[in-house]
Amino acid sequence: MRRCGGSCSARTSDAIVYRPVVPLSPVLRATATYPFVRLNEAAAARRARGLEVIDLGMGDPREPTDAAILQALRDGLRDRMGYPAAVGLPELRKAVARWVERRFGVLLDPGAQIVPTLGSKEAIFSFAQVVLDVTGGRDTVVVTEPGYPVPGRGAAFAGARVVELPLHEEHGFLPALDDVPDGLWERAALVWVNSPNNPTGTVAPLASLERLASLAREHDFVLASDEAYSELWFDEPPPSALQLDDLTNVVAFNTLSKRSSMTGFRSGFVAGDAGLVAALKQFRPNLGTAPQEFVQRASVVAWGDEEHVVHLRETYRGKRDLLLDVLGRKGLRNAGGPATMYLWIAVPDGETSEGHAARLLDAGVLVTPGRFLGPSGEGYVRYALVPTEQECVRAATILEEVL
Ligand SMILES: Cc1ncc(COP(=O)(O)O)c(C=O)c1O
């Protein structure tokens, strides 16, 4: 008889599902299947039937990484690679500081205000653990929805009360700060903003970041600005929270994943308030998530070059214009803003976001139902402009027929 070290139960198309017999974390048990897993399963089922799927679902860029960055990665390999230090290589912190100065006109102290991260996801997920003080009355983490689920999930695993502020079109997809529940700021340990925003593509003006930062100082919470898409813009370069006059209680998270098509490298940074960066330097050695040294060396080259970013942006612009053209001609409304690799498209009257996405998948185009990204995402679908230009042309042809 086969032993599976747990109870083997349901069987999906290609795998047995194992369920442990131990109780597990209630937060984990309450966590629904990560929405993209459901999406990928639907696409896989279609592919298994030999049918075409053009994947505009998950935001994993498929554009090649620049050759000079790849070369720096290879050159960074040594006969023996020791543990990387959590504070990162001084060269990398300096390269990030130079980029921040070039891009945002802000001088940061690379020794005190920057810490590299293994991509930004792990840092976003774990940040609540650094600032939450449940017994001290700071038990709440505020996130926006629809949105990237990781800040909320990380907060829940840290034991926080998670409050979601909705992003509505009539409010420019910005949180309505005047409508927050009474007492929210007093219980908040951490408030997340994400601009340019996934999924809406909206750019928060510096004034709105300024307002949140003064609330953070007034009420003693931390403002965390997730700026993963700051370099994918199509009108003017979006501002950063790092440009605020006072960085007290403010940190920004950025990454090479989208800027330089380097998702697989896992390389990002947190920068801002020196006291918070010091807290991260104390916390992060516990995690073991310092980027590998060869990745850090490749990252020095990536942050130092802007030419490949300009090229990448133009590639996204081409794909964006192509799909917006067909969607517009078919009467679908682009509700989204001028940045990110996403299109946020209103679904036709009478259809749900899931129903509309299912109709497109039946024709071979995979998009994300807005509902998967939060209740206020109902009424929209998200197109991730990640397939190659050629695949996007094919997607446009399918959309032309099916819409
Ligand atoms: C809003 C947002 N922030 C952060 C990330 C994390 O990116 P990475 O961990 O690759 O740096 C993503 C990834 O999709 C994202 O959409």
Side-chain angles (χ1 to χ4, degrees):
M1 200 180 87
R2 196 156 49 109
R3 296 175 63 88
C4 57
S7 72
C8 323
S9 55
R11 179 184 262 283
T12 63
S13 53
D14 55 0
I16 294 171
V17 177
Y18 294 95
R19 297 194 200 291
V21 288
V22 291
L24 291 183
S25 143
V27 179
L28 184 64
R29 275 187 277 128
T31 308
T33 309
Y34 198 70
F36 296 108
V37 175
R38 288 212 312 258
L39 204 64
N40 288 339
E41 279 172 1
R46 202 182 137 83
R47 284 195 187 102
R49 285 187 283 136
L51 298 170
E52 166 184 41
V53 178
I54 301 173
D55 189 349
L56 296 117
M58 219 166 104
D60 192 351
R62 266 160 264 160
E63 302 304 328
T65 305
D66 187 69
I69 301 170
L70 293 172
Q71 191 54 48
L73 182 83
R74 291 185 202 102
D75 293 345
L77 288 171
R78 304 277 180 274
D79 289 347
R80 179 188 168 273
M81 309 289 308
Y83 285 119
V87 293
L89 295 172
E91 299 91 304
L92 175 55
R93 279 181 274 119
K94 280 187 197 142
V96 169
R98 277 195 296 270
W99 176 73
V100 169
E101 184 182 358
R102 212 167 62 234
R103 170 68 173 81
F104 300 116
V106 175
L107 282 175
L108 294 179
D109 174 349
Q113 290 186 282
I114 297 168
V115 66
T117 56
L118 193 77
S120 55
K121 183 176 188 175
E122 56 87 7
I124 292 170
F125 183 86
S126 59
F127 192 47
Q129 295 172 50
V130 179
V131 294
L132 205 64
D133 178 7
V134 173
T135 50
R138 293 288 170 169
D139 64 348
T140 300
V141 173
V142 180
V143 299
T144 55
E145 69 79 20
Y148 183 55
V150 173
R153 296 224 168 154
F157 276 102
R161 177 178 81 120
V162 180
V163 173
E164 294 184 333
L165 298 182
L167 301 178
H168 292 309
E169 192 169 350
E170 57 272 25
H171 211 273
F173 293 120
L174 295 171
L177 299 181
D178 294 328
D179 299 342
V180 303
D182 283 347
L184 179 65
W185 301 138
E186 284 67 31
R187 280 177 69 179
L190 173 61
V191 174
W192 282 98
V193 277
N194 169 218
S195 170
N197 185 260
N198 169 12
T200 67
T202 308
V203 174
L206 201 55
S208 97
L209 297 174
E210 186 72 67
R211 168 132 193 246
L212 275 164
S214 14
L215 285 168
R217 281 186 290 274
E218 187 185 334
H219 298 282
D220 283 332
F221 62 79
V222 172
L223 174 65
S225 179
D226 173 0
E227 303 179 358
Y229 297 93
S230 68
E231 303 318 290
L232 301 186
W233 48 268
F234 305 102
D235 56 359
E236 52 188 53
S240 163
L242 296 173
Q243 291 169 296
L244 297 173
D245 289 337
D246 185 354
L247 288 181
T248 311
N249 291 15
V250 177
V251 276
F253 292 63
N254 213 322
T255 169
L256 289 171
S257 287
K258 321 289 170 163
R259 173 190 181 271
S260 300
S261 207
M262 287 172 66
T263 44
F265 284 65
R266 314 310 299 131
S267 182
F269 69 84
V270 185
D273 181 316
L276 290 169
V277 170
L280 278 166
K281 286 181 181 171
Q282 189 186 341
F283 172 74
R284 292 182 56 77
N286 295 294
L287 295 180
T289 46
Q292 296 83 348
E293 219 175 275
F294 44 89
V295 168
Q296 294 193 49
R297 296 201 186 280
S299 305
V300 171
V301 174
W303 289 116
D305 179 61
E306 225 45 60
E307 215 177 292
H308 74 278
V309 187
V310 172
H311 174 73
L312 205 63
R313 202 159 38 231
E314 288 317 304
T315 309
Y316 281 114
R317 187 194 297 280
K319 297 194 277 191
R320 180 181 161 91
D321 291 348
L322 173 77
L323 289 180
L324 281 179
D325 174 58
V326 62
L327 292 167
R329 278 188 292 100
K330 293 290 173 175
L332 282 133
R333 190 168 55 80
N334 172 24
T340 76
M341 55 170 64
Y342 304 112
L343 303 179
W344 190 235
I345 303 295
V347 303
D349 287 346
E351 276 189 276
T352 63
S353 66
E354 226 168 324
H356 184 69
R359 182 153 75 89
L360 296 189
L361 186 56
D362 273 347
V365 174
L366 177 65
V367 298
T368 304
R371 183 72 186 76
F372 279 16
L373 303 165
S376 305
E378 184 48 56
Y380 306 91
V381 289
R382 189 190 74 174
Y383 288 68
L385 302 169
V386 290
T388 59
E389 275 169 308
Q390 214 181 349
E391 286 174 309
C392 285
V393 170
R394 173 77 190 125
T397 310
I398 295 174
L399 293 171
E400 191 84 57
E401 283 163 16
V402 77
L403 288 173

